[in-house]
Amino acid sequence: MATQKKSSSKTPALNFGSAWDYAPAPETTPVPLKKSYDLFIGGKFVQPKSGKTFWSINPATGKRHARIARAEAADVDLAVRTARTAHENGWSKMPAAERGKYLFRIARMIQEKSRELAILESMDGGKPIRESRDIDLPLVAAHFFHYAGWADKLEYAFPGRKPRSLGVAGQIIPWNFPLLMAAWKIAPALACGNTVVIKPAETTSITALHLAEIFQQAGLPDGVVNIVTGAGDTGAALVNHPDIDKIAFTGSTGVGKKIAASVAGTKKMLTLELGGKAANIVFEDAAIDQAVEGIINGIYFNQGHVCCAGSRLLVQESVHDEIVAKLRDRIETLRVGDPLDKNTDVGAINSREQLARIRELVDSGVAEGADLVESSCSLPDEGYWCRPGFFTGVTPSHRVAREEIFGPVLSVLTFRTPEEAIERANNTCYGLSAGIWTDKGSKIFQLANQLKAGVIWGNTFNQFDPTSPFGGYKESGFGREGGRHGLAAYVKV
Ligand code: NAI
Ligand code: MG
């Protein structure tokens, strides 16, 4: 695998070049992949009826590394019927405490296997091992633990009501947090007595199928979770299946709108978690160094592949130059390269298509007159990579200020007063998340009440916890995942 090459600084005063030239530190030897991965239906791995497959690519090399089954409508139908039988014949009728025990067992097994799963996640999706090992996998286990605890306490979550399962949930997830999105969707659905047919994203199917092995080993009853792999047409077959009770989708706003249109007028319930263009607002009274680290964490550490990424930086005019200077120095020190290297900050872009989308939007920023500052790091010769960078001189009408970039490139805008900060932050069709950096707690509360975003972080960014609900406003979707709120999406009361 191509690895990080020496990065030299453009800023002569700091000259990080040699100081940051660590020896490579791969996490461990890569986990062997299976040659091919089948569908997981009724507790078994089964081949797709058509026999068709597609390739999963390692984005750090651009090379094919495993074949994945392509599910068509007939396979989706089998999965849904299997899930229906599992729902009616057992899972929904089982004492809730017993359901909880399965979820606890799965959570513990995820912890035991978390090293292997983290490596697979980085191999297949390109994210740095530091992220998958220290953030994704602990959160995956935590979500199963959290919802295991709710399984027999649903009547406390909905006092005076009799919560009942919906039936079969069809779930479609994206490629930015493959296992975490699977956990966010599967754990609450199961806790509430539903059964599941889930479709991972086509570029990151592998870890979900390793999770399926954990379901087998945990003795989860057959058919409670079924996994169908494939691209958008597989997802559409799931959305359009007549015997689905609920669709939960996380992904692009465009596909979310299509899904909303196709379930309109059916019995299907729907939750959507779509894109974002989060504002990270920094006041002049903030702890500036801490804020700069928060900005870096908010956009670069996951290649910007985060729907709640702080991709619009709003800085108070008086501290603009200081923050831009600090950011310029800090992005020079980010290590871009081998996702399996423990020292890597920015991994590979998830796919060739995503890299093309990022490049197109970055080019539009340059063409529209914003100034691009990029890290001078060298990139590996093969695979999909993007230099961390940011735009200054951005105006609210630029595409880079309005459209989701989903890559490691930030847009810097300025404001003078809190009122202007609120107006600029809310000037977007999205409303998923926002960040506020200030020394004054009262300012955080004042702004938080006026920002139209589902999640607002104060003096921090991109923090997640299974007890805390997550979800958006406006074109960022509706419904909440996580915490007690996340149960409401999977019960009728
Ligand atoms: P996408 O929305 O096409 O893919 C997400 C999931 O939906 C995948 O599993 C995909 O197979 C499935 N899907 C695609 N078309 C479908 C259809 N017609 N019916 C049912 N399921 C369908 O997102 P894509 O193309 O991978 O990324 C495009 C852009 O979307 C990104 O650049 C980013 O801006 C945004 N995005 C946002 C995410 C978020 O977390 N909110 C996650 C992924 C992408
Ligand atoms: Mg892949």
Side-chain angles (χ1 to χ4, degrees):
M1 179 181 296
T3 49
Q4 153 81 14
K5 289 182 193 153
K6 185 174 162 176
S7 71
S8 66
S9 173
K10 262 185 195 157
T11 321
L14 283 160
N15 193 13
F16 288 112
S18 56
W20 293 93
D21 206 11
Y22 301 134
E27 180 71 1
T28 173
T29 41
V31 176
L33 297 178
K34 296 185 199 170
K35 283 216 170 55
S36 66
Y37 286 84
D38 289 329
L39 311 173
F40 183 67
I41 299 177
K44 289 177 222 40
F45 288 97
V46 298
Q47 291 191 353
K49 292 192 166 133
S50 69
K52 288 185 193 158
T53 60
F54 61 97
W55 285 102
S56 191
I57 308 267
N58 178 342
T61 61
K63 299 215 165 71
R64 299 165 161 187
H65 62 182
R67 272 185 187 280
I68 313 284
R70 180 192 297 266
E72 293 186 340
D75 305 297
V76 170
D77 180 55
L78 176 65
V80 173
R81 281 188 288 117
T82 306
R84 174 64 60 195
T85 309
H87 179 262
E88 310 302 321
N89 289 358
W91 190 248
S92 64
K93 304 201 175 84
M94 183 183 287
E98 289 301 308
R99 287 205 304 267
K101 283 189 204 165
Y102 284 106
L103 293 173
F104 276 123
R105 192 182 295 163
I106 290 165
R108 284 196 303 270
M109 291 174 74
I110 289 169
Q111 286 184 315
E112 284 160 14
K113 293 207 169 178
S114 71
R115 224 16 170 339
E116 179 182 334
L117 291 169
I119 291 170
L120 289 166
E121 196 79 313
S122 286
M123 285 169 70
D124 199 28
K127 66 169 63 188
I129 188 73
R130 202 181 60 208
E131 291 281 301
S132 46
R133 182 196 60 199
D134 299 347
I135 296 175
D136 296 45
L137 262 298
L139 281 171
V140 171
H143 268 83
F144 276 98
F145 277 120
H146 181 79
Y147 284 107
W150 273 120
D152 61 353
K153 299 174 196 71
L154 296 178
E155 285 168 27
Y156 296 93
F158 304 96
R161 305 253 191 99
K162 270 250 165 283
R164 282 173 301 131
S165 61
L166 300 172
V168 179
Q171 307 180 323
I172 298 169
I173 57 173
W175 41 262
N176 52 346
F177 291 88
L179 272 176
L180 185 57
M181 290 301 107
W184 277 27
K185 299 256 182 303
I186 295 172
L190 264 46
C192 296
N194 304 279
T195 57
V196 162
V197 179
I198 187 166
K199 193 198 84 64
E202 53 272 38
T203 58
T204 53
S205 307
I206 288 177
T207 45
L209 295 161
H210 283 261
L211 186 61
E213 289 179 350
I214 290 182
F215 296 151
Q216 280 182 324
Q217 289 154 13
L220 186 71
D222 293 349
V224 170
V225 177
N226 306 276
I227 303 175
V228 289
T229 46
D233 46 351
T234 310
L238 186 55
V239 169
N240 294 322
H241 194 287
D243 199 31
I244 290 277
D245 298 290
K246 192 230 157 69
I247 292 288
F249 172 77
T250 299
S252 62
T253 300
V255 172
K257 285 181 180 171
K258 269 196 224 168
I259 292 177
S262 39
V263 307
T266 69
K267 65 166 183 179
K268 294 168 198 170
M269 286 182 50
L270 179 64
T271 42
L272 296 174
E273 200 268 274
L274 310 174
K277 191 74 193 173
N280 209 355
I281 305 168
V282 186
F283 285 95
E284 60 189 3
D285 62 8
I288 298 294
D289 287 335
Q290 210 177 308
V292 167
E293 276 317 295
I295 296 161
I296 295 285
N297 173 40
I299 181 91
Y300 298 115
F301 283 169
N302 214 339
Q303 301 77 250
H305 292 350
V306 188
C307 48
C308 51
S311 67
R312 277 187 305 155
L313 176 64
L314 298 186
V315 293
Q316 200 155 14
E317 239 172 42
S318 49
V319 286
H320 171 268
D321 294 353
E322 179 187 358
I323 288 179
V324 164
K326 288 192 168 173
L327 273 179
R328 189 191 294 265
D329 289 341
R330 185 65 176 91
I331 62 169
E332 263 320 302
T333 68
L334 293 173
R335 293 176 63 85
V336 184
D338 184 359
L340 291 184
D341 189 321
K342 286 181 277 230
N343 297 328
T344 293
D345 297 308
V346 184
I349 300 302
N350 184 264
S351 66
R352 184 191 297 276
E353 294 73 23
Q354 186 57 30
L355 182 57
R357 279 187 211 113
I358 296 168
R359 288 228 171 106
E360 191 273 327
L361 203 50
V362 170
D363 290 347
S364 84
V366 174
E368 288 182 326
D371 300 313
L372 177 63
V373 178
E374 268 186 324
S375 159
S376 64
C377 67
S378 53
L379 299 178
D381 308 326
E382 44 182 17
Y384 316 129
W385 308 93
C386 180
R387 286 198 175 82
F390 61 88
F391 280 108
T392 57
V394 178
T395 70
S397 65
H398 286 157
R399 280 182 63 207
V400 289
R402 289 183 289 120
E403 294 178 29
E404 188 173 38
I405 187 154
F406 237 66
V409 185
L410 179 70
S411 295
V412 185
L413 296 101
T414 56
F415 67 88
R416 292 202 180 113
T417 61
E419 292 68 34
E420 195 185 2
I422 293 164
E423 193 199 305
R424 290 212 153 173
N426 287 341
N427 180 15
T428 166
C429 61
Y430 293 114
L432 192 53
S433 61
I436 306 164
W437 298 82
T438 167
D439 194 31
K440 306 274 179 301
S442 55
K443 223 187 247 171
I444 295 182
F445 285 115
Q446 183 204 348
L447 257 77
N449 281 328
Q450 296 177 69
L451 289 174
K452 294 200 178 69
V455 183
I456 296 170
W457 288 290
N459 290 326
T460 184
F461 209 84
N462 274 357
Q463 299 293 326
F464 295 94
D465 188 281
T467 60
S468 171
F470 183 88
Y473 267 76
K474 301 195 274 186
E475 292 194 19
S476 291
F478 49 81
R480 293 290 177 265
E481 296 185 286
R484 181 174 56 79
H485 300 71
L487 296 167
Y490 289 100
V491 291
K492 5 179 210 250
V493 285

